[in-house]
Amino acid sequence: MGWLVRIYADQYMRDYINIIRSQEQDYTYVPELDEQWKYDLTDPYNDSNSKVTKNEMRLWKAVKDKEGPFKIAGNPQWKAYSENLKKLFDYVPDGFFGVKEDQAYNLFLTGKAATMLGTPASYWQLPKDFADEEKTGATGGVKPFEYGFFNMPSMEGPEVMAPARTIQIPIGFYGFVNKDAKQNELNVDFMMYLTSPEGYAVYLDAIQKSDDASLSGAPAIKGITLPDEMAAAFADFKPIGNTEGYTSAANNLARGMWDYQPSVQDWVGLVQRYFSGKLTTDQYLEQLQANIDKYMEPAMKEAKKELSDLDHPERRPPQR
């Protein structure tokens, strides 16, 4: 749900970029990017970090000043977004908020849930798990069924600014312990092999034969050829734009103050009360605003920033 609140808030708050983008006098300003950039809601990658730079200090200042979409309580955009998202959670069963990831997967695998939120890896893992007694909880597994996938459906309404985007980032990471020059050379040789057509074919064959792992998505490696069935399936995973990794109103406020954990934890209880009908939308937004106001300064301190830095957001904050 933490993904969904950020993804759908993004539809209503795409104008955040006009507030936090770097200005000419800012320490973050990159002329070759920022002089060319134009605000364009028809481009789902318009606010990409590769197209326009953002000034984190302008974001903190916007939160403090409650500017534009960084104002929560009394904001029609926040209200429309929250009420629309609440409709979706009207369809979840009692106890939904206490369900763990593996339990949610089991509900879909056994046909007790109609949909689940996942990554393309699920498309290839499901066939392996139908016969898995441990994952299904059924002797002999469960009968396979047809399934498909779809992107985040877009919300609609007068406050919506643009179609839905999703969390579209590369996943899967490799790391090496820095031991000595000889070992490092071997590590680099291995990575060169793994990312070659020959080496990746070995990896692809192994992961498809594995019981507990699947290919997470179409590989972003040049020269790789996938099996026809896999290539056809991945071709239907159409990119719709990315929300992840942006310092936006959606990412930084929709589930509490940034990733500051005391704020996120308070929000978890708050949103459960809202989705279960114990709070009105206005009450929810007022309490979310209070959460942000309460934790903004501690969150800044955790990030080694001070309120005094906001007096001059164009300046690089001092090292602390």
Side-chain angles (χ1 to χ4, degrees):
M1 188 184 65
W3 288 0
L4 292 177
V5 296
R6 294 188 293 120
I7 287 168
Y8 283 111
D10 174 71
Q11 275 199 265
Y12 292 77
M13 301 168 201
R14 289 277 295 278
D15 56 346
Y16 82 94
I17 188 62
N18 292 319
I19 296 173
I20 72 155
R21 70 182 181 89
S22 300
Q23 304 296 318
E24 189 171 359
Q25 70 272 25
D26 290 2
Y27 73 98
T28 52
Y29 192 76
V30 178
E32 53 266 36
L33 285 181
D34 298 314
E35 286 179 358
Q36 310 299 323
W37 182 83
K38 302 292 183 185
Y39 182 52
D40 182 4
L41 286 175
T42 66
D43 176 8
Y45 298 97
N46 179 241
D47 53 344
S48 166
N49 294 333
S50 63
K51 290 188 175 184
V52 59
T53 67
K54 292 103 172 174
N55 184 341
E56 180 186 334
M57 304 315 298
R58 292 197 179 278
L59 178 138
W60 286 112
K61 189 175 188 304
V63 173
K64 176 178 175 289
D65 296 345
K66 299 179 174 58
E67 184 178 0
F70 295 92
K71 178 181 185 295
I72 299 172
N75 188 326
Q77 290 167 284
W78 276 89
K79 185 168 185 175
Y81 142 73
S82 299
E83 289 180 340
N84 222 1
L85 189 61
K86 185 177 183 299
K87 293 177 184 177
L88 175 65
F89 285 90
D90 287 343
Y91 292 93
V92 301
D94 291 341
F96 168 82
F97 292 103
V99 172
K100 297 179 181 179
E101 184 178 0
D102 58 342
Q103 294 172 315
Y105 182 68
N106 172 269
L107 290 173
F108 184 80
L109 187 62
T110 57
K112 297 173 184 174
T115 59
M116 70 175 184
L117 184 65
T119 69
S122 303
Y123 188 80
W124 305 107
Q125 188 62 40
L126 277 164
K128 301 179 181 183
D129 291 341
F130 285 133
D132 190 311
E133 295 186 356
E134 184 176 343
K135 290 183 178 178
T136 62
T139 303
V142 296
K143 182 180 179 181
F145 54 82
E146 286 190 23
Y147 59 90
F149 53 86
F150 55 91
N151 270 320
M152 302 289 176
S154 291
M155 288 184 175
E156 298 177 353
E159 300 293 342
V160 170
M161 293 185 168
R165 304 188 292 184
T166 188
I167 294 176
Q168 179 199 316
I169 55 173
I171 59 173
F173 307 93
Y174 295 92
F176 298 114
V177 176
N178 186 9
K179 288 188 175 181
D180 53 62
K182 184 178 179 180
Q183 183 61 50
N184 291 346
E185 287 180 6
L186 292 171
N187 292 341
V188 172
D189 286 345
F190 171 73
M191 285 306 301
M192 291 174 69
Y193 173 70
L194 178 60
T195 56
S196 71
E198 179 187 3
Y200 196 82
V202 175
Y203 168 75
L204 183 61
D205 180 65
I207 200 170
Q208 286 303 96
K209 290 178 179 177
S210 167
D211 291 333
D212 58 358
S214 294
L215 197 63
S216 298
I221 303 172
K222 293 180 180 179
I224 299 299
T225 301
L226 295 175
D228 290 343
E229 179 189 10
M230 188 172 284
F234 281 137
D236 285 335
F237 283 93
K238 302 295 184 184
I240 60 174
N242 175 51
T243 67
E244 185 70 4
Y246 299 167
T247 47
S248 65
N251 280 334
N252 294 90
L253 301 181
R255 63 182 185 98
M257 185 69 251
W258 219 306
D259 280 329
Y260 186 64
Q261 288 308 300
S263 177
V264 175
Q265 290 165 13
D266 284 3
W267 169 80
V268 169
L270 172 63
V271 78
Q272 289 183 37
R273 293 193 297 276
Y274 174 54
F275 284 153
S276 63
K278 297 176 181 177
L279 296 173
T280 67
T281 302
D282 288 340
Q283 288 172 331
Y284 168 67
L285 295 178
E286 288 166 3
Q287 292 184 37
L288 178 56
Q289 182 72 73
N291 176 314
I292 300 302
D293 293 344
K294 176 181 178 180
Y295 289 115
M296 178 186 165
E297 189 171 0
M300 288 188 70
K301 287 185 180 297
E302 184 176 73
K304 295 182 169 47
K305 307 289 191 300
E306 299 287 347
L307 284 174
S308 58
D309 297 336
L310 306 183
D311 294 338
H312 293 282
E314 72 280 4
R315 299 177 185 173
R316 184 188 301 275
Q319 293 288 326
R320 297 185 173 94

Coordinates of all heavy atoms in Angstrom, one line a residue, residues 94-167:
D94 N -11.5 -8.0 5.8 CA -11.0 -7.6 7.1 C -9.7 -8.3 7.4 O -9.4 -9.5 7.0 CB -12.0 -8.1 8.1 CG -13.3 -7.3 8.1 OD1 -13.3 -6.2 7.6 OD2 -14.3 -7.8 8.6
G95 N -8.8 -7.6 8.0 CA -7.5 -8.2 8.3 C -6.4 -7.9 7.2 O -5.3 -8.3 7.4
F96 N -6.9 -7.2 6.2 CA -5.9 -7.0 5.0 C -4.7 -6.3 5.5 O -3.6 -6.7 5.0 CB -6.6 -6.1 4.0 CG -5.7 -5.6 2.9 CD1 -5.4 -6.4 1.8 CD2 -5.2 -4.3 3.0 CE1 -4.5 -5.9 0.8 CE2 -4.3 -3.8 2.0 CZ -4.0 -4.6 0.9
F97 N -4.7 -5.3 6.4 CA -3.6 -4.5 6.7 C -2.6 -5.3 7.5 O -1.4 -4.9 7.7 CB -4.0 -3.3 7.5 CG -4.7 -2.3 6.6 CD1 -6.1 -2.2 6.7 CD2 -4.1 -1.5 5.6 CE1 -6.8 -1.3 5.8 CE2 -4.7 -0.7 4.8 CZ -6.1 -0.5 4.9
G98 N -3.0 -6.5 8.0 CA -2.0 -7.3 8.8 C -1.4 -8.5 7.9 O -0.7 -9.3 8.5
V99 N -1.8 -8.5 6.7 CA -1.3 -9.6 5.8 C 0.1 -9.4 5.4 O 0.5 -8.3 5.0 CB -2.2 -9.7 4.5 CG1 -1.6 -10.7 3.5 CG2 -3.6 -10.1 4.9
K100 N 0.9 -10.4 5.5 CA 2.3 -10.3 5.1 C 2.4 -10.6 3.6 O 1.5 -11.2 3.0 CB 3.2 -11.3 5.9 CG 3.2 -11.0 7.4 CD 4.0 -12.0 8.2 CE 4.1 -11.7 9.7 NZ 4.8 -12.8 10.4
E101 N 3.6 -10.3 3.1 CA 3.8 -10.5 1.6 C 3.5 -12.0 1.2 O 2.9 -12.2 0.2 CB 5.2 -10.1 1.2 CG 5.4 -10.1 -0.3 CD 6.8 -9.6 -0.7 OE1 7.6 -9.2 0.2 OE2 7.1 -9.6 -1.9
D102 N 4.1 -12.9 1.9 CA 3.9 -14.3 1.5 C 2.5 -14.8 1.6 O 2.0 -15.6 0.9 CB 4.9 -15.2 2.3 CG 4.7 -15.2 3.8 OD1 4.1 -14.2 4.3 OD2 5.1 -16.1 4.5
Q103 N 1.8 -14.2 2.6 CA 0.3 -14.5 2.8 C -0.5 -14.0 1.6 O -1.4 -14.6 1.1 CB -0.2 -14.0 4.1 CG 0.4 -14.6 5.3 CD 0.1 -13.9 6.6 OE1 0.1 -12.7 6.7 NE2 -0.3 -14.7 7.7
A104 N -0.2 -12.8 1.2 CA -0.9 -12.2 0.1 C -0.7 -13.0 -1.2 O -1.6 -13.2 -2.0 CB -0.4 -10.7 -0.1
Y105 N 0.6 -13.4 -1.4 CA 0.9 -14.2 -2.5 C 0.1 -15.5 -2.5 O -0.4 -16.0 -3.5 CB 2.4 -14.5 -2.6 CG 2.8 -15.3 -3.8 CD1 2.8 -14.7 -5.1 CD2 3.3 -16.6 -3.6 CE1 3.2 -15.5 -6.2 CE2 3.8 -17.3 -4.7 CZ 3.7 -16.7 -6.0 OH 4.1 -17.5 -7.1
N106 N 0.0 -16.1 -1.3 CA -0.7 -17.4 -1.2 C -2.2 -17.2 -1.5 O -2.8 -18.1 -2.2 CB -0.6 -17.9 0.2 CG -1.5 -19.1 0.5 OD1 -2.7 -18.9 1.0 ND2 -1.0 -20.3 0.2
L107 N -2.8 -16.0 -1.2 CA -4.2 -15.8 -1.5 C -4.4 -15.8 -3.0 O -5.4 -16.3 -3.5 CB -4.7 -14.5 -0.8 CG -4.8 -14.5 0.7 CD1 -5.1 -13.1 1.2 CD2 -5.9 -15.5 1.2
F108 N -3.5 -15.2 -3.7 CA -3.7 -15.1 -5.2 C -3.4 -16.5 -5.8 O -4.1 -17.0 -6.6 CB -2.7 -14.1 -5.8 CG -2.9 -13.9 -7.2 CD1 -3.9 -13.2 -7.8 CD2 -2.0 -14.5 -8.1 CE1 -4.1 -13.0 -9.1 CE2 -2.2 -14.4 -9.5 CZ -3.2 -13.6 -10.0
L109 N -2.3 -17.1 -5.3 CA -1.9 -18.4 -5.8 C -3.0 -19.5 -5.7 O -3.2 -20.4 -6.5 CB -0.7 -18.9 -5.1 CG 0.1 -20.2 -5.6 CD1 0.5 -20.0 -7.0 CD2 1.2 -20.5 -4.6
T110 N -3.8 -19.4 -4.6 CA -4.9 -20.4 -4.3 C -6.2 -19.9 -4.8 O -7.3 -20.5 -4.5 CB -4.9 -20.7 -2.8 OG1 -5.1 -19.4 -2.1 CG2 -3.7 -21.3 -2.3
G111 N -6.3 -18.8 -5.5 CA -7.5 -18.3 -6.1 C -8.4 -17.6 -5.2 O -9.6 -17.4 -5.5
K112 N -7.9 -17.2 -4.0 CA -8.8 -16.5 -3.0 C -8.7 -15.0 -3.2 O -9.5 -14.3 -2.5 CB -8.4 -16.9 -1.6 CG -8.6 -18.4 -1.3 CD -8.0 -18.8 0.0 CE -8.2 -20.3 0.2 NZ -7.5 -20.8 1.4
A113 N -7.8 -14.5 -4.0 CA -7.7 -13.1 -4.3 C -7.7 -12.9 -5.8 O -7.1 -13.7 -6.5 CB -6.5 -12.5 -3.6
A114 N -8.4 -11.8 -6.2 CA -8.5 -11.6 -7.7 C -7.3 -11.0 -8.3 O -7.0 -11.2 -9.4 CB -9.7 -10.7 -7.9
T115 N -6.6 -10.1 -7.5 CA -5.4 -9.5 -8.1 C -4.4 -9.4 -7.0 O -4.6 -9.5 -5.8 CB -5.7 -8.0 -8.5 OG1 -6.2 -7.3 -7.4 CG2 -6.7 -8.0 -9.6
M116 N -3.1 -9.1 -7.4 CA -2.1 -8.8 -6.4 C -1.1 -7.8 -7.1 O -1.1 -7.7 -8.3 CB -1.3 -10.1 -6.1 CG -0.4 -10.7 -7.2 SD 0.6 -12.1 -6.6 CE 1.5 -12.4 -8.0
L117 N -0.4 -7.1 -6.3 CA 0.5 -6.1 -6.7 C 1.9 -6.8 -6.8 O 2.3 -7.4 -5.8 CB 0.5 -4.9 -5.8 CG 1.4 -3.7 -6.1 CD1 0.9 -3.1 -7.4 CD2 1.4 -2.7 -5.0
G118 N 2.6 -6.7 -7.9 CA 3.8 -7.4 -8.0 C 4.7 -6.8 -9.1 O 4.4 -5.8 -9.7
T119 N 5.8 -7.5 -9.4 CA 6.7 -7.2 -10.4 C 6.6 -8.2 -11.6 O 6.0 -9.3 -11.4 CB 8.1 -7.2 -9.9 OG1 8.5 -8.5 -9.6 CG2 8.2 -6.3 -8.6
P120 N 7.2 -8.0 -12.7 CA 7.1 -9.0 -13.8 C 7.7 -10.3 -13.4 O 7.4 -11.3 -14.0 CB 8.0 -8.3 -14.9 CG 7.8 -6.9 -14.7 CD 7.8 -6.7 -13.2
A121 N 8.5 -10.4 -12.3 CA 9.0 -11.7 -11.9 C 7.9 -12.7 -11.6 O 8.0 -13.9 -11.8 CB 9.9 -11.5 -10.7
S122 N 6.7 -12.2 -11.0 CA 5.6 -13.0 -10.7 C 5.1 -13.8 -11.9 O 4.6 -14.9 -11.7 CB 4.5 -12.2 -10.1 OG 5.0 -11.5 -8.9
Y123 N 5.2 -13.2 -13.0 CA 4.6 -13.8 -14.3 C 5.3 -15.2 -14.5 O 4.7 -16.1 -15.0 CB 4.8 -12.9 -15.4 CG 4.1 -13.4 -16.7 CD1 2.8 -13.1 -16.9 CD2 4.8 -14.0 -17.7 CE1 2.1 -13.6 -18.0 CE2 4.2 -14.5 -18.9 CZ 2.9 -14.2 -19.0 OH 2.2 -14.6 -20.2
W124 N 6.6 -15.3 -14.2 CA 7.3 -16.5 -14.4 C 7.4 -17.4 -13.2 O 7.7 -18.6 -13.3 CB 8.7 -16.2 -14.9 CG 8.7 -15.3 -16.1 CD1 9.0 -14.0 -16.2 CD2 8.3 -15.6 -17.4 NE1 8.9 -13.5 -17.4 CE2 8.4 -14.5 -18.2 CE3 7.8 -16.8 -18.0 CZ2 8.1 -14.4 -19.6 CZ3 7.5 -16.8 -19.4 CH2 7.6 -15.6 -20.1
Q125 N 7.1 -16.8 -12.0 CA 7.2 -17.6 -10.8 C 5.9 -18.4 -10.5 O 6.0 -19.5 -10.0 CB 7.5 -16.7 -9.6 CG 7.8 -17.5 -8.3 CD 9.1 -18.3 -8.4 OE1 10.1 -18.0 -9.0 NE2 9.0 -19.5 -7.8
L126 N 4.8 -17.9 -10.9 CA 3.5 -18.5 -10.6 C 3.5 -20.0 -11.1 O 3.0 -20.9 -10.4 CB 2.4 -17.7 -11.2 CG 1.9 -16.5 -10.3 CD1 1.0 -15.6 -11.1 CD2 1.1 -17.1 -9.1
P127 N 3.8 -20.2 -12.4 CA 3.8 -21.6 -12.9 C 4.6 -22.6 -12.0 O 4.2 -23.8 -11.9 CB 4.3 -21.5 -14.3 CG 4.1 -20.1 -14.7 CD 4.3 -19.3 -13.5
K128 N 5.7 -22.1 -11.4 CA 6.5 -23.0 -10.6 C 5.9 -23.3 -9.3 O 6.2 -24.3 -8.6 CB 7.9 -22.3 -10.4 CG 8.7 -21.9 -11.6 CD 10.0 -21.3 -11.3 CE 10.8 -20.9 -12.6 NZ 12.1 -20.3 -12.3
D129 N 5.0 -22.4 -8.8 CA 4.5 -22.5 -7.5 C 3.1 -23.2 -7.4 O 2.6 -23.5 -6.3 CB 4.4 -21.1 -6.9 CG 5.7 -20.5 -6.6 OD1 6.7 -21.3 -6.6 OD2 5.8 -19.3 -6.4
F130 N 2.4 -23.4 -8.5 CA 1.1 -24.0 -8.4 C 1.2 -25.4 -7.8 O 0.3 -25.8 -7.1 CB 0.5 -24.2 -9.9 CG 0.0 -22.9 -10.4 CD1 0.3 -22.6 -11.7 CD2 -0.8 -22.1 -9.7 CE1 -0.2 -21.4 -12.3 CE2 -1.4 -20.9 -10.3 CZ -1.0 -20.6 -11.6
A131 N 2.3 -26.1 -8.0 CA 2.5 -27.5 -7.4 C 3.2 -27.5 -6.1 O 3.5 -28.5 -5.5 CB 3.2 -28.4 -8.4
D132 N 3.6 -26.3 -5.6 CA 4.3 -26.2 -4.4 C 3.4 -26.3 -3.1 O 2.6 -25.4 -2.9 CB 5.1 -24.9 -4.3 CG 6.1 -24.8 -3.2 OD1 5.7 -25.1 -2.1 OD2 7.3 -24.4 -3.5
E133 N 3.5 -27.4 -2.4 CA 2.6 -27.7 -1.3 C 2.8 -26.7 -0.2 O 1.9 -26.3 0.5 CB 2.8 -29.1 -0.8 CG 2.4 -30.2 -1.8 CD 2.4 -31.6 -1.2 OE1 2.9 -31.7 -0.1 OE2 2.0 -32.5 -1.9
E134 N 4.1 -26.3 0.0 CA 4.4 -25.3 1.1 C 3.8 -24.0 0.8 O 3.2 -23.3 1.7 CB 5.9 -25.2 1.3 CG 6.3 -24.4 2.5 CD 7.8 -24.3 2.7 OE1 8.5 -25.2 2.2 OE2 8.3 -23.4 3.4
K135 N 3.9 -23.5 -0.4 CA 3.4 -22.2 -0.7 C 1.9 -22.1 -0.9 O 1.3 -21.1 -0.6 CB 4.1 -21.7 -2.0 CG 5.6 -21.3 -1.9 CD 6.2 -20.8 -3.1 CE 7.6 -20.4 -2.9 NZ 8.3 -19.9 -4.1
T136 N 1.3 -23.2 -1.3 CA -0.1 -23.3 -1.5 C -0.9 -23.7 -0.3 O -2.0 -23.4 -0.1 CB -0.5 -24.2 -2.7 OG1 -0.1 -25.5 -2.4 CG2 0.1 -23.7 -4.0
G137 N -0.2 -24.5 0.6 CA -0.9 -25.1 1.7 C -1.8 -26.2 1.4 O -2.6 -26.6 2.2
A138 N -1.7 -26.7 0.2 CA -2.6 -27.8 -0.3 C -1.8 -29.0 -0.7 O -0.7 -28.9 -1.4 CB -3.4 -27.3 -1.5
T139 N -2.2 -30.2 -0.4 CA -1.6 -31.4 -0.8 C -1.6 -31.5 -2.3 O -2.6 -31.4 -2.9 CB -2.3 -32.7 -0.2 OG1 -2.3 -32.5 1.2 CG2 -1.6 -33.9 -0.6
G140 N -0.4 -31.7 -2.9 CA -0.3 -31.8 -4.3 C -0.4 -30.4 -5.0 O -0.4 -30.4 -6.2
G141 N -0.4 -29.4 -4.2 CA -0.5 -28.0 -4.8 C -1.9 -27.7 -5.3 O -2.9 -28.3 -4.8
V142 N -2.1 -26.7 -6.2 CA -3.4 -26.3 -6.6 C -3.4 -26.4 -8.2 O -2.4 -26.5 -8.8 CB -3.7 -24.8 -6.3 CG1 -3.7 -24.7 -4.7 CG2 -2.6 -23.9 -6.8
K143 N -4.6 -26.4 -8.7 CA -4.8 -26.6 -10.1 C -4.4 -25.2 -10.8 O -4.9 -24.2 -10.4 CB -6.3 -26.8 -10.4 CG -6.6 -27.0 -11.9 CD -8.1 -27.3 -12.1 CE -8.4 -27.4 -13.6 NZ -9.8 -27.7 -13.9
P144 N -3.6 -25.3 -11.8 CA -3.1 -24.1 -12.5 C -4.3 -23.4 -13.1 O -5.3 -24.0 -13.5 CB -2.2 -24.6 -13.6 CG -1.7 -25.9 -13.0 CD -2.9 -26.5 -12.3
F145 N -4.2 -22.0 -13.2 CA -5.3 -21.2 -13.8 C -4.7 -20.2 -14.7 O -3.5 -19.9 -14.6 CB -6.2 -20.6 -12.7 CG -5.4 -19.8 -11.7 CD1 -5.0 -18.4 -12.0 CD2 -5.0 -20.3 -10.5 CE1 -4.3 -17.7 -11.0 CE2 -4.3 -19.5 -9.5 CZ -4.0 -18.2 -9.8
E146 N -5.5 -19.7 -15.6 CA -5.0 -18.6 -16.4 C -4.8 -17.3 -15.7 O -5.6 -17.0 -14.8 CB -5.9 -18.4 -17.6 CG -5.9 -19.5 -18.7 CD -6.7 -19.1 -19.9 OE1 -6.9 -17.9 -20.1 OE2 -7.1 -20.0 -20.6
Y147 N -3.8 -16.6 -16.0 CA -3.6 -15.3 -15.3 C -3.0 -14.3 -16.3 O -2.4 -14.7 -17.3 CB -2.7 -15.4 -14.1 CG -1.4 -16.0 -14.3 CD1 -0.3 -15.1 -14.6 CD2 -1.1 -17.3 -14.3 CE1 1.0 -15.6 -14.9 CE2 0.1 -17.9 -14.6 CZ 1.2 -17.0 -14.9 OH 2.4 -17.5 -15.2
G148 N -3.1 -13.1 -16.0 CA -2.5 -12.0 -16.9 C -2.0 -10.9 -16.0 O -2.0 -11.0 -14.8
F149 N -1.6 -9.8 -16.6 CA -1.1 -8.7 -15.9 C -1.6 -7.4 -16.5 O -1.9 -7.4 -17.7 CB 0.5 -8.7 -15.9 CG 1.1 -8.8 -17.2 CD1 1.3 -7.7 -18.0 CD2 1.4 -10.1 -17.8 CE1 1.9 -7.8 -19.3 CE2 2.0 -10.2 -19.0 CZ 2.2 -9.1 -19.8
F150 N -1.6 -6.3 -15.8 CA -1.9 -5.0 -16.3 C -1.2 -4.0 -15.5 O -0.8 -4.2 -14.3 CB -3.4 -4.8 -16.2 CG -4.1 -5.0 -14.9 CD1 -4.2 -3.9 -14.0 CD2 -4.5 -6.2 -14.4 CE1 -4.8 -4.0 -12.8 CE2 -5.1 -6.4 -13.2 CZ -5.2 -5.3 -12.3
N151 N -1.0 -2.8 -16.2 CA -0.3 -1.7 -15.5 C -1.3 -1.1 -14.5 O -2.5 -1.3 -14.5 CB 0.1 -0.7 -16.5 CG 1.5 -1.0 -17.1 OD1 2.4 -1.3 -16.3 ND2 1.7 -0.8 -18.3
M152 N -0.7 -0.1 -13.7 CA -1.5 0.6 -12.8 C -2.6 1.4 -13.6 O -2.3 2.2 -14.4 CB -0.7 1.7 -12.1 CG 0.5 1.1 -11.3 SD -0.1 0.3 -9.8 CE 1.5 -0.4 -9.2
P153 N -3.9 1.1 -13.3 CA -4.9 1.8 -14.0 C -4.9 3.3 -13.5 O -4.6 3.6 -12.4 CB -6.2 1.1 -13.5 CG -5.8 -0.2 -12.9 CD -4.4 0.1 -12.4
S154 N -5.2 4.2 -14.5 CA -5.2 5.6 -14.1 C -6.5 6.0 -13.4 O -7.6 5.6 -13.8 CB -5.0 6.4 -15.4 OG -3.7 6.3 -15.9
M155 N -6.4 6.8 -12.4 CA -7.5 7.5 -11.8 C -8.0 8.6 -12.7 O -7.2 9.1 -13.5 CB -7.2 8.0 -10.4 CG -6.9 7.0 -9.3 SD -6.6 7.8 -7.7 CE -6.6 6.4 -6.7
E156 N -9.3 8.9 -12.6 CA -9.9 9.9 -13.4 C -10.6 10.9 -12.6 O -11.1 10.5 -11.5 CB -10.8 9.3 -14.5 CG -10.0 8.4 -15.5 CD -11.0 7.7 -16.5 OE1 -12.2 7.9 -16.4 OE2 -10.4 7.1 -17.4
G157 N -10.8 12.1 -13.0 CA -11.5 13.1 -12.3 C -10.9 14.5 -12.5 O -9.8 14.7 -13.1
P158 N -11.6 15.5 -12.1 CA -11.2 16.9 -12.4 C -9.9 17.3 -11.8 O -9.2 18.2 -12.3 CB -12.4 17.8 -11.8 CG -13.1 16.9 -10.8 CD -12.9 15.5 -11.3
E159 N -9.5 16.7 -10.7 CA -8.2 17.1 -10.0 C -7.0 16.3 -10.6 O -5.9 16.6 -10.2 CB -8.3 16.9 -8.5 CG -9.4 17.7 -7.8 CD -9.2 19.2 -7.9 OE1 -8.0 19.6 -8.1 OE2 -10.1 19.9 -7.7
V160 N -7.2 15.3 -11.4 CA -6.2 14.5 -12.0 C -5.4 15.3 -13.0 O -6.0 15.9 -13.9 CB -6.7 13.2 -12.6 CG1 -5.6 12.5 -13.4 CG2 -7.3 12.3 -11.5
M161 N -4.1 15.3 -12.9 CA -3.2 16.1 -13.8 C -2.7 15.3 -15.0 O -2.4 15.8 -16.0 CB -2.0 16.7 -13.0 CG -2.4 17.7 -12.0 SD -1.0 18.5 -11.3 CE -1.7 19.9 -10.4
A162 N -2.4 14.0 -14.7 CA -1.8 13.2 -15.8 C -2.1 11.7 -15.5 O -2.5 11.3 -14.4 CB -0.3 13.4 -15.8
P163 N -1.9 10.8 -16.5 CA -2.1 9.4 -16.3 C -1.2 8.8 -15.2 O -0.2 9.4 -14.9 CB -1.8 8.8 -17.6 CG -2.0 9.9 -18.6 CD -1.6 11.1 -17.9
A164 N -1.5 7.7 -14.7 CA -0.7 7.0 -13.7 C 0.6 6.6 -14.2 O 0.8 6.2 -15.4 CB -1.5 5.8 -13.2
R165 N 1.6 6.7 -13.3 CA 2.9 6.2 -13.6 C 3.2 5.1 -12.5 O 2.3 4.9 -11.6 CB 4.0 7.3 -13.5 CG 3.7 8.5 -14.4 CD 4.8 9.4 -14.5 NE 5.0 10.2 -13.3 CZ 5.9 11.2 -13.1 NH1 6.7 11.5 -14.2 NH2 6.1 11.8 -12.0
T166 N 4.3 4.5 -12.6 CA 4.5 3.4 -11.6 C 6.0 3.5 -11.1 O 6.7 4.4 -11.3 CB 4.3 2.0 -12.3 OG1 4.3 1.0 -11.3 CG2 5.3 1.7 -13.4
I167 N 6.3 2.4 -10.3 CA 7.7 2.3 -9.9 C 8.5 1.5 -10.9 O 8.4 0.3 -10.9 CB 7.8 1.7 -8.5 CG1 7.1 2.6 -7.4 CG2 9.2 1.4 -8.1 CD1 7.0 2.0 -6.0

